[in-house]
PDB file of all heavy atoms in Angstrom:
ATOM      1  N   ARG A   1      -4.069  -1.687   7.334  1.00 96.00           N
ATOM      2  CA  ARG A   1      -4.439  -0.929   8.534  1.00 96.00           C
ATOM      3  C   ARG A   1      -3.909  -1.622   9.791  1.00 96.00           C
ATOM      4  O   ARG A   1      -3.393  -0.970  10.702  1.00 96.00           O
ATOM      5  CB  ARG A   1      -5.955  -0.779   8.612  1.00 96.00           C
ATOM      6  CG  ARG A   1      -6.432  -0.139   9.911  1.00 96.00           C
ATOM      7  CD  ARG A   1      -7.946  -0.043   9.951  1.00 96.00           C
ATOM      8  NE  ARG A   1      -8.416   1.123   9.211  1.00 96.00           N
ATOM      9  CZ  ARG A   1      -9.700   1.412   9.016  1.00 96.00           C
ATOM     10  NH1 ARG A   1     -10.644   0.593   9.466  1.00 96.00           N
ATOM     11  NH2 ARG A   1     -10.053   2.510   8.364  1.00 96.00           N
ATOM     12  N   ASN A   2      -4.017  -2.929   9.830  1.00 95.00           N
ATOM     13  CA  ASN A   2      -3.514  -3.688  10.975  1.00 95.00           C
ATOM     14  C   ASN A   2      -1.998  -3.541  11.103  1.00 95.00           C
ATOM     15  O   ASN A   2      -1.467  -3.371  12.212  1.00 95.00           O
ATOM     16  CB  ASN A   2      -3.887  -5.160  10.820  1.00 95.00           C
ATOM     17  CG  ASN A   2      -3.416  -5.996  12.000  1.00 95.00           C
ATOM     18  OD1 ASN A   2      -3.789  -5.758  13.148  1.00 95.00           O
ATOM     19  ND2 ASN A   2      -2.582  -6.997  11.720  1.00 95.00           N
ATOM     20  N   GLU A   3      -1.292  -3.585   9.979  1.00 94.00           N
ATOM     21  CA  GLU A   3       0.162  -3.432  10.002  1.00 94.00           C
ATOM     22  C   GLU A   3       0.566  -2.051  10.496  1.00 94.00           C
ATOM     23  O   GLU A   3       1.554  -1.903  11.233  1.00 94.00           O
ATOM     24  CB  GLU A   3       0.725  -3.674   8.601  1.00 94.00           C
ATOM     25  CG  GLU A   3       0.611  -5.113   8.135  1.00 94.00           C
ATOM     26  CD  GLU A   3       0.961  -5.277   6.663  1.00 94.00           C
ATOM     27  OE1 GLU A   3       1.497  -4.303   6.078  1.00 94.00           O
ATOM     28  OE2 GLU A   3       0.699  -6.351   6.100  1.00 94.00           O
ATOM     29  N   MET A   4      -0.185  -1.017  10.094  1.00 92.00           N
ATOM     30  CA  MET A   4       0.127   0.343  10.556  1.00 92.00           C
ATOM     31  C   MET A   4      -0.036   0.478  12.058  1.00 92.00           C
ATOM     32  O   MET A   4       0.634   1.285  12.698  1.00 92.00           O
ATOM     33  CB  MET A   4      -0.778   1.352   9.836  1.00 92.00           C
ATOM     34  CG  MET A   4      -0.336   1.681   8.430  1.00 92.00           C
ATOM     35  SD  MET A   4      -1.329   3.014   7.716  1.00 92.00           S
ATOM     36  CE  MET A   4      -2.854   2.164   7.320  1.00 92.00           C
ATOM     37  N   GLY A   5      -0.926  -0.309  12.647  1.00 86.00           N
ATOM     38  CA  GLY A   5      -1.186  -0.219  14.081  1.00 86.00           C
ATOM     39  C   GLY A   5      -0.163  -0.932  14.938  1.00 86.00           C
ATOM     40  O   GLY A   5      -0.190  -0.811  16.169  1.00 86.00           O
ATOM     41  N   GLN A   6       0.735  -1.666  14.299  1.00 90.00           N
ATOM     42  CA  GLN A   6       1.734  -2.414  15.068  1.00 90.00           C
ATOM     43  C   GLN A   6       2.911  -1.533  15.453  1.00 90.00           C
ATOM     44  O   GLN A   6       3.293  -0.614  14.727  1.00 90.00           O
ATOM     45  CB  GLN A   6       2.206  -3.617  14.253  1.00 90.00           C
ATOM     46  CG  GLN A   6       1.123  -4.654  13.984  1.00 90.00           C
ATOM     47  CD  GLN A   6       1.603  -5.800  13.127  1.00 90.00           C
ATOM     48  OE1 GLN A   6       2.772  -5.880  12.773  1.00 90.00           O
ATOM     49  NE2 GLN A   6       0.687  -6.703  12.779  1.00 90.00           N
ATOM     50  N   GLU A   7       3.493  -1.837  16.596  1.00 83.00           N
ATOM     51  CA  GLU A   7       4.628  -1.067  17.093  1.00 83.00           C
ATOM     52  C   GLU A   7       5.804  -1.181  16.123  1.00 83.00           C
ATOM     53  O   GLU A   7       6.111  -2.255  15.617  1.00 83.00           O
ATOM     54  CB  GLU A   7       5.044  -1.585  18.470  1.00 83.00           C
ATOM     55  CG  GLU A   7       6.133  -0.762  19.129  1.00 83.00           C
ATOM     56  CD  GLU A   7       6.451  -1.251  20.532  1.00 83.00           C
ATOM     57  OE1 GLU A   7       5.714  -2.115  21.041  1.00 83.00           O
ATOM     58  OE2 GLU A   7       7.445  -0.770  21.104  1.00 83.00           O
ATOM     59  N   GLY A   8       6.438  -0.062  15.853  1.00 84.00           N
ATOM     60  CA  GLY A   8       7.588  -0.053  14.964  1.00 84.00           C
ATOM     61  C   GLY A   8       7.262   0.069  13.487  1.00 84.00           C
ATOM     62  O   GLY A   8       8.156  -0.005  12.641  1.00 84.00           O
ATOM     63  N   SER A   9       5.990   0.250  13.148  1.00 90.00           N
ATOM     64  CA  SER A   9       5.615   0.381  11.744  1.00 90.00           C
ATOM     65  C   SER A   9       6.285   1.608  11.132  1.00 90.00           C
ATOM     66  O   SER A   9       6.310   2.681  11.734  1.00 90.00           O
ATOM     67  CB  SER A   9       4.090   0.497  11.610  1.00 90.00           C
ATOM     68  OG  SER A   9       3.740   0.789  10.276  1.00 90.00           O
ATOM     69  N   LYS A  10       6.813   1.445   9.933  1.00 90.00           N
ATOM     70  CA  LYS A  10       7.471   2.551   9.241  1.00 90.00           C
ATOM     71  C   LYS A  10       6.482   3.423   8.469  1.00 90.00           C
ATOM     72  O   LYS A  10       6.856   4.458   7.926  1.00 90.00           O
ATOM     73  CB  LYS A  10       8.534   1.998   8.282  1.00 90.00           C
ATOM     74  CG  LYS A  10       9.686   1.294   8.985  1.00 90.00           C
ATOM     75  CD  LYS A  10      10.717   0.795   7.977  1.00 90.00           C
ATOM     76  CE  LYS A  10      11.864   0.103   8.676  1.00 90.00           C
ATOM     77  NZ  LYS A  10      12.888  -0.394   7.714  1.00 90.00           N
ATOM     78  N   VAL A  11       5.223   2.985   8.400  1.00 95.00           N
ATOM     79  CA  VAL A  11       4.202   3.703   7.641  1.00 95.00           C
ATOM     80  C   VAL A  11       3.075   4.109   8.576  1.00 95.00           C
ATOM     81  O   VAL A  11       2.562   3.296   9.339  1.00 95.00           O
ATOM     82  CB  VAL A  11       3.645   2.824   6.498  1.00 95.00           C
ATOM     83  CG1 VAL A  11       2.515   3.534   5.776  1.00 95.00           C
ATOM     84  CG2 VAL A  11       4.757   2.454   5.521  1.00 95.00           C
ATOM     85  N   ARG A  12       2.688   5.389   8.529  1.00 95.00           N
ATOM     86  CA  ARG A  12       1.604   5.871   9.390  1.00 95.00           C
ATOM     87  C   ARG A  12       0.308   6.076   8.618  1.00 95.00           C
ATOM     88  O   ARG A  12      -0.770   6.228   9.213  1.00 95.00           O
ATOM     89  CB  ARG A  12       1.993   7.179  10.063  1.00 95.00           C
ATOM     90  CG  ARG A  12       2.301   8.307   9.081  1.00 95.00           C
ATOM     91  CD  ARG A  12       2.451   9.628   9.783  1.00 95.00           C
ATOM     92  NE  ARG A  12       2.904  10.687   8.888  1.00 95.00           N
ATOM     93  CZ  ARG A  12       2.682  11.970   9.103  1.00 95.00           C
ATOM     94  NH1 ARG A  12       2.007  12.360  10.159  1.00 95.00           N
ATOM     95  NH2 ARG A  12       3.142  12.868   8.260  1.00 95.00           N
ATOM     96  N   SER A  13       0.402   6.123   7.275  1.00 97.00           N
ATOM     97  CA  SER A  13      -0.767   6.365   6.446  1.00 97.00           C
ATOM     98  C   SER A  13      -0.435   5.917   5.027  1.00 97.00           C
ATOM     99  O   SER A  13       0.741   5.720   4.692  1.00 97.00           O
ATOM    100  CB  SER A  13      -1.136   7.852   6.460  1.00 97.00           C
ATOM    101  OG  SER A  13      -2.304   8.101   5.696  1.00 97.00           O
ATOM    102  N   TYR A  14      -1.471   5.727   4.218  1.00 97.00           N
ATOM    103  CA  TYR A  14      -1.272   5.329   2.823  1.00 97.00           C
ATOM    104  C   TYR A  14      -2.035   6.264   1.891  1.00 97.00           C
ATOM    105  O   TYR A  14      -3.175   6.630   2.163  1.00 97.00           O
ATOM    106  CB  TYR A  14      -1.781   3.908   2.574  1.00 97.00           C
ATOM    107  CG  TYR A  14      -0.787   2.817   2.892  1.00 97.00           C
ATOM    108  CD1 TYR A  14      -0.765   2.215   4.150  1.00 97.00           C
ATOM    109  CD2 TYR A  14       0.139   2.370   1.942  1.00 97.00           C
ATOM    110  CE1 TYR A  14       0.136   1.212   4.455  1.00 97.00           C
ATOM    111  CE2 TYR A  14       1.041   1.365   2.231  1.00 97.00           C
ATOM    112  CZ  TYR A  14       1.038   0.788   3.483  1.00 97.00           C
ATOM    113  OH  TYR A  14       1.938  -0.212   3.781  1.00 97.00           O
ATOM    114  N   MET A  15      -1.390   6.607   0.780  1.00 97.00           N
ATOM    115  CA  MET A  15      -2.081   7.233  -0.330  1.00 97.00           C
ATOM    116  C   MET A  15      -2.645   6.101  -1.176  1.00 97.00           C
ATOM    117  O   MET A  15      -1.896   5.251  -1.680  1.00 97.00           O
ATOM    118  CB  MET A  15      -1.121   8.090  -1.155  1.00 97.00           C
ATOM    119  CG  MET A  15      -1.791   8.951  -2.184  1.00 97.00           C
ATOM    120  SD  MET A  15      -2.565  10.433  -1.496  1.00 97.00           S
ATOM    121  CE  MET A  15      -1.144  11.550  -1.414  1.00 97.00           C
ATOM    122  N   PHE A  16      -3.961   6.054  -1.310  1.00 96.00           N
ATOM    123  CA  PHE A  16      -4.648   4.957  -1.971  1.00 96.00           C
ATOM    124  C   PHE A  16      -5.096   5.424  -3.355  1.00 96.00           C
ATOM    125  O   PHE A  16      -6.055   6.174  -3.493  1.00 96.00           O
ATOM    126  CB  PHE A  16      -5.838   4.531  -1.112  1.00 96.00           C
ATOM    127  CG  PHE A  16      -6.716   3.475  -1.691  1.00 96.00           C
ATOM    128  CD1 PHE A  16      -6.197   2.266  -2.118  1.00 96.00           C
ATOM    129  CD2 PHE A  16      -8.084   3.687  -1.804  1.00 96.00           C
ATOM    130  CE1 PHE A  16      -7.021   1.284  -2.642  1.00 96.00           C
ATOM    131  CE2 PHE A  16      -8.926   2.708  -2.322  1.00 96.00           C
ATOM    132  CZ  PHE A  16      -8.391   1.508  -2.750  1.00 96.00           C
ATOM    133  N   GLY A  17      -4.374   5.010  -4.405  1.00 95.00           N
ATOM    134  CA  GLY A  17      -4.640   5.498  -5.750  1.00 95.00           C
ATOM    135  C   GLY A  17      -5.792   4.784  -6.423  1.00 95.00           C
ATOM    136  O   GLY A  17      -5.829   3.552  -6.472  1.00 95.00           O
ATOM    137  N   CYS A  18      -6.744   5.553  -6.948  1.00 94.00           N
ATOM    138  CA  CYS A  18      -7.923   5.002  -7.623  1.00 94.00           C
ATOM    139  C   CYS A  18      -8.096   5.673  -8.980  1.00 94.00           C
ATOM    140  O   CYS A  18      -8.408   6.868  -9.044  1.00 94.00           O
ATOM    141  CB  CYS A  18      -9.178   5.217  -6.784  1.00 94.00           C
ATOM    142  SG  CYS A  18      -9.153   4.419  -5.169  1.00 94.00           S
ATOM    143  N   ILE A  19      -7.905   4.923 -10.067  1.00 94.00           N
ATOM    144  CA  ILE A  19      -8.190   5.436 -11.407  1.00 94.00           C
ATOM    145  C   ILE A  19      -9.657   5.172 -11.684  1.00 94.00           C
ATOM    146  O   ILE A  19     -10.084   4.017 -11.748  1.00 94.00           O
ATOM    147  CB  ILE A  19      -7.291   4.768 -12.455  1.00 94.00           C
ATOM    148  CG1 ILE A  19      -5.819   5.104 -12.179  1.00 94.00           C
ATOM    149  CG2 ILE A  19      -7.683   5.208 -13.858  1.00 94.00           C
ATOM    150  CD1 ILE A  19      -4.853   4.496 -13.167  1.00 94.00           C
ATOM    151  N   ALA A  20     -10.434   6.221 -11.859  1.00 93.00           N
ATOM    152  CA  ALA A  20     -11.899   6.070 -11.819  1.00 93.00           C
ATOM    153  C   ALA A  20     -12.623   6.772 -12.958  1.00 93.00           C
ATOM    154  O   ALA A  20     -13.771   7.169 -12.816  1.00 93.00           O
ATOM    155  CB  ALA A  20     -12.418   6.591 -10.478  1.00 93.00           C
ATOM    156  N   ASP A  21     -11.978   6.895 -14.121  1.00 94.00           N
ATOM    157  CA  ASP A  21     -12.598   7.679 -15.189  1.00 94.00           C
ATOM    158  C   ASP A  21     -13.250   6.846 -16.288  1.00 94.00           C
ATOM    159  O   ASP A  21     -13.885   7.408 -17.175  1.00 94.00           O
ATOM    160  CB  ASP A  21     -11.548   8.591 -15.835  1.00 94.00           C
ATOM    161  CG  ASP A  21     -10.384   7.806 -16.432  1.00 94.00           C
ATOM    162  OD1 ASP A  21      -9.877   6.894 -15.750  1.00 94.00           O
ATOM    163  OD2 ASP A  21      -9.978   8.098 -17.571  1.00 94.00           O
ATOM    164  N   GLN A  22     -13.117   5.513 -16.244  1.00 88.00           N
ATOM    165  CA  GLN A  22     -13.622   4.735 -17.366  1.00 88.00           C
ATOM    166  C   GLN A  22     -14.947   4.044 -17.056  1.00 88.00           C
ATOM    167  O   GLN A  22     -15.526   4.219 -15.990  1.00 88.00           O
ATOM    168  CB  GLN A  22     -12.552   3.756 -17.832  1.00 88.00           C
ATOM    169  CG  GLN A  22     -11.342   4.517 -18.399  1.00 88.00           C
ATOM    170  CD  GLN A  22     -10.473   3.696 -19.305  1.00 88.00           C
ATOM    171  OE1 GLN A  22     -10.205   2.544 -19.034  1.00 88.00           O
ATOM    172  NE2 GLN A  22     -10.023   4.293 -20.400  1.00 88.00           N
ATOM    173  N   LEU A  23     -15.420   3.269 -18.015  1.00 91.00           N
ATOM    174  CA  LEU A  23     -16.777   2.728 -17.963  1.00 91.00           C
ATOM    175  C   LEU A  23     -16.871   1.540 -17.012  1.00 91.00           C
ATOM    176  O   LEU A  23     -16.169   0.546 -17.188  1.00 91.00           O
ATOM    177  CB  LEU A  23     -17.197   2.289 -19.375  1.00 91.00           C
ATOM    178  CG  LEU A  23     -18.599   1.726 -19.544  1.00 91.00           C
ATOM    179  CD1 LEU A  23     -19.635   2.805 -19.272  1.00 91.00           C
ATOM    180  CD2 LEU A  23     -18.769   1.164 -20.948  1.00 91.00           C
ATOM    181  N   PRO A  24     -17.748   1.619 -16.001  1.00 91.00           N
ATOM    182  CA  PRO A  24     -17.928   0.466 -15.107  1.00 91.00           C
ATOM    183  C   PRO A  24     -18.726  -0.639 -15.780  1.00 91.00           C
ATOM    184  O   PRO A  24     -19.439  -0.404 -16.759  1.00 91.00           O
ATOM    185  CB  PRO A  24     -18.705   1.062 -13.925  1.00 91.00           C
ATOM    186  CG  PRO A  24     -19.427   2.226 -14.495  1.00 91.00           C
ATOM    187  CD  PRO A  24     -18.562   2.768 -15.600  1.00 91.00           C
ATOM    188  N   LYS A  25     -18.611  -1.853 -15.239  1.00 89.00           N
ATOM    189  CA  LYS A  25     -19.427  -2.956 -15.737  1.00 89.00           C
ATOM    190  C   LYS A  25     -20.897  -2.669 -15.445  1.00 89.00           C
ATOM    191  O   LYS A  25     -21.232  -1.909 -14.542  1.00 89.00           O
ATOM    192  CB  LYS A  25     -18.996  -4.266 -15.083  1.00 89.00           C
ATOM    193  CG  LYS A  25     -17.590  -4.714 -15.473  1.00 89.00           C
ATOM    194  CD  LYS A  25     -17.237  -6.028 -14.804  1.00 89.00           C
ATOM    195  CE  LYS A  25     -15.844  -6.493 -15.218  1.00 89.00           C
ATOM    196  NZ  LYS A  25     -15.468  -7.773 -14.562  1.00 89.00           N
ATOM    197  N   VAL A  26     -21.764  -3.330 -16.195  1.00 90.00           N
ATOM    198  CA  VAL A  26     -23.207  -3.079 -16.074  1.00 90.00           C
ATOM    199  C   VAL A  26     -23.676  -3.232 -14.639  1.00 90.00           C
ATOM    200  O   VAL A  26     -24.437  -2.402 -14.113  1.00 90.00           O
ATOM    201  CB  VAL A  26     -23.996  -4.034 -16.999  1.00 90.00           C
ATOM    202  CG1 VAL A  26     -25.489  -3.910 -16.741  1.00 90.00           C
ATOM    203  CG2 VAL A  26     -23.688  -3.742 -18.459  1.00 90.00           C
ATOM    204  N   GLU A  27     -23.206  -4.289 -13.965  1.00 89.00           N
ATOM    205  CA  GLU A  27     -23.669  -4.550 -12.600  1.00 89.00           C
ATOM    206  C   GLU A  27     -23.144  -3.535 -11.591  1.00 89.00           C
ATOM    207  O   GLU A  27     -23.621  -3.456 -10.462  1.00 89.00           O
ATOM    208  CB  GLU A  27     -23.269  -5.962 -12.156  1.00 89.00           C
ATOM    209  CG  GLU A  27     -21.770  -6.226 -12.095  1.00 89.00           C
ATOM    210  CD  GLU A  27     -21.198  -6.755 -13.404  1.00 89.00           C
ATOM    211  OE1 GLU A  27     -21.817  -6.513 -14.469  1.00 89.00           O
ATOM    212  OE2 GLU A  27     -20.130  -7.392 -13.362  1.00 89.00           O
ATOM    213  N   ASN A  28     -22.157  -2.728 -12.001  1.00 87.00           N
ATOM    214  CA  ASN A  28     -21.589  -1.723 -11.095  1.00 87.00           C
ATOM    215  C   ASN A  28     -22.026  -0.301 -11.430  1.00 87.00           C
ATOM    216  O   ASN A  28     -21.461   0.658 -10.898  1.00 87.00           O
ATOM    217  CB  ASN A  28     -20.059  -1.798 -11.118  1.00 87.00           C
ATOM    218  CG  ASN A  28     -19.535  -3.095 -10.540  1.00 87.00           C
ATOM    219  OD1 ASN A  28     -20.118  -3.632  -9.594  1.00 87.00           O
ATOM    220  ND2 ASN A  28     -18.450  -3.618 -11.085  1.00 87.00           N
TER     221      ASN A  28
END
């Protein structure tokens, strides 16, 4: 996010990929 805010950044946004279909740990 900090890098995107800098002048001259080539990226304005990110697609943030989350694989979320499997079993979480007990504490989660």
